[in-house]
Amino acid sequence: MVSSDNNQSTAVLFILLGFSDYPELEMPLFLLFLTIYAVAVVGNVGMIVIIKINPKLHTPMYFFLKHLSFVDFCYSTIATPLLLENLIVEDKSISVKGCITQFSIGITCVMAEMVMLAVMAYDRFVAICKPLLYTVSMSPKRCALLVTVAYAWGIISSIILTYSLLVLSFCETKIIDNFVCEYSVFLSASCSDKHFSEIMLFIFLNLSSLCTLIIILTSYLFIFITVLQMHSTSGRYKAFSTCASHMTAVTIFYGTILFLYCIPNTKNSWLVVKVGSVFYIVVIPMLNPLIYSLRNKDVKETFRKLKNLKIFSQ
């Protein structure tokens, strides 16, 4: 175990190579990722502020969107700074405890976001398929409970998966061909039996992905059937438009996860894995606020007012 030998835990380091094989690209990538991270922070914090101050947006859909933005902000902030640091410093080492801490917070956000996307799909299902019951079904207490479930699942998953890492032994400093503390980093660096850790990862990651995807796909199946039964063309367009942003976010989020899963485990695939991981860690938290704001008149109108007041200027 990591905690069984203090000398071991303090001496062992992970050296995250990142993109050091291409030193000429490190500074351009640093500037690119820094720009994307800044947009992600401004976008997610801006979304939270806009929803908070605009009474028109005090609805269940925007309540969930506010928490999705918060999760994206936390995940981007815990992962991206290490990536940026890795691109400009010569010492690319990180302690085992530091790496585990980053992973623990990051996996909390990932698991919470999965549940949050499923909750948002359920919200659209109730709004379109059962509009007369929407106020009762999505009451403030129910919404708060659903968000609590999302955070609770993230925390529970993080505790168990982090424990599955703490039982591993790390015997020596390891050079890792990665730029962030993912689960695979610990498995590749461990010198002890990894069977328990691999089972825990398989159970929780697949359980979360499968259950949330079932909820999302089932919700949109009923939405699609309900919309097809509408006689009004404008009603169909309005129903689909309220779901378009969420469907786009879900497609990008799960599409990236499936893409990373489907990459064959070969030496030649490391660059593709890194690019996919960068998209997952850096780009998605930036895209979500853009996706939800570009198609929403109320959000854009509020943003214009704030911009005129110079709240988001400079």
Side-chain angles (χ1 to χ4, degrees), residues 29-224:
L29 287 175
F30 173 82
L31 296 175
L32 174 63
F33 295 153
L34 180 61
T35 302
I36 294 175
Y37 175 61
V39 174
V41 170
V42 172
N44 285 294
V45 173
M47 183 68 72
I48 294 171
V49 172
I50 287 172
I51 294 173
K52 186 76 173 177
I53 66 176
N54 189 347
K56 290 183 180 180
L57 304 181
H58 293 176
T59 63
M61 181 176 71
Y62 293 105
F63 176 75
F64 298 133
L65 178 56
K66 178 175 66 175
H67 285 277
L68 180 67
S69 295
F70 174 73
V71 170
D72 279 334
F73 168 76
C74 291
Y75 184 57
S76 180
T77 299
I78 192 62
T80 309
L82 179 62
L83 167 60
L84 294 173
E85 180 184 3
N86 188 274
L87 287 168
I88 59 174
V89 300
E90 293 185 6
D91 182 9
K92 302 180 186 298
S93 63
I94 182 173
S95 68
V96 175
K97 290 181 179 179
C99 212
I100 289 178
T101 300
Q102 188 205 48
F103 168 81
S104 178
I105 300 174
I107 198 66
T108 300
C109 296
V110 171
M111 294 297 192
E113 180 155 351
M114 284 186 181
V115 179
M116 205 77 70
L117 289 172
V119 167
M120 294 174 74
Y122 173 74
D123 170 71
R124 292 299 84 205
F125 158 74
V126 177
I128 294 173
C129 300
K130 301 180 181 296
L132 298 179
L133 299 176
Y134 184 71
T135 304
V136 177
S137 299
M138 303 306 294
S139 64
K141 288 185 178 180
R142 178 72 62 82
C143 292
L145 176 62
L146 291 173
V147 168
T148 301
V149 169
Y151 288 125
W153 178 248
I155 293 171
I156 291 171
S157 301
S158 175
I159 291 173
I160 295 177
L161 290 176
T162 301
Y163 172 77
S164 72
L165 296 179
L166 293 175
V167 300
L168 297 174
S169 295
F170 304 97
C171 306
E172 59 183 7
T173 297
K174 291 284 187 177
I175 297 177
I176 308 297
D177 194 6
N178 209 321
F179 57 85
V180 71
C181 296
E182 296 179 333
Y183 206 88
S184 59
V185 168
F186 302 98
L187 294 181
S188 62
S190 174
C191 58
S192 59
D193 184 17
K194 310 166 190 174
H195 186 64
F196 172 73
S197 301
E198 290 172 339
I199 290 177
M200 288 297 100
L201 177 65
F202 178 84
I203 291 175
F204 276 87
L205 195 56
N206 285 280
L207 180 63
S208 295
S209 301
L210 182 62
C211 291
T212 53
L213 267 178
I214 288 175
I215 294 172
I216 292 170
L217 294 176
T218 303
S219 297
Y220 277 112
L221 175 62
F222 282 108
I223 288 172
F224 183 73

Side-chain angles (χ1 to χ4, degrees), residues 243-284:
C243 299
S245 297
H246 183 257
M247 287 191 292
T248 303
V250 167
T251 301
I252 293 173
F253 182 83
Y254 283 96
T256 305
I257 292 177
L258 292 175
F259 171 75
L260 292 174
Y261 265 124
C262 293
I263 295 176
N265 187 20
T266 64
K267 293 182 179 179
N268 296 327
S269 65
W270 69 269
L271 183 58
V272 179
V273 171
K274 285 184 182 179
V275 172
S277 299
V278 166
F279 189 85
Y280 180 75
I281 293 169
V282 181
V283 179
I284 288 181

Side-chain angles (χ1 to χ4, degrees), residues 47 57 61-62 65 236-249 287-301 304:
M47 183 68 72
L57 304 181
M61 181 176 71
Y62 293 105
L65 178 56
R236 290 182 181 181
Y237 175 79
K238 183 177 180 181
F240 276 126
S241 64
T242 60
C243 299
S245 297
H246 183 257
M247 287 191 292
T248 303
L287 288 179
N288 280 344
L290 295 178
I291 291 170
Y292 283 100
S293 61
L294 289 176
R295 297 184 58 88
N296 192 288
K297 295 181 179 179
D298 290 327
V299 172
K300 289 191 287 188
E301 180 184 351
R304 287 195 205 98

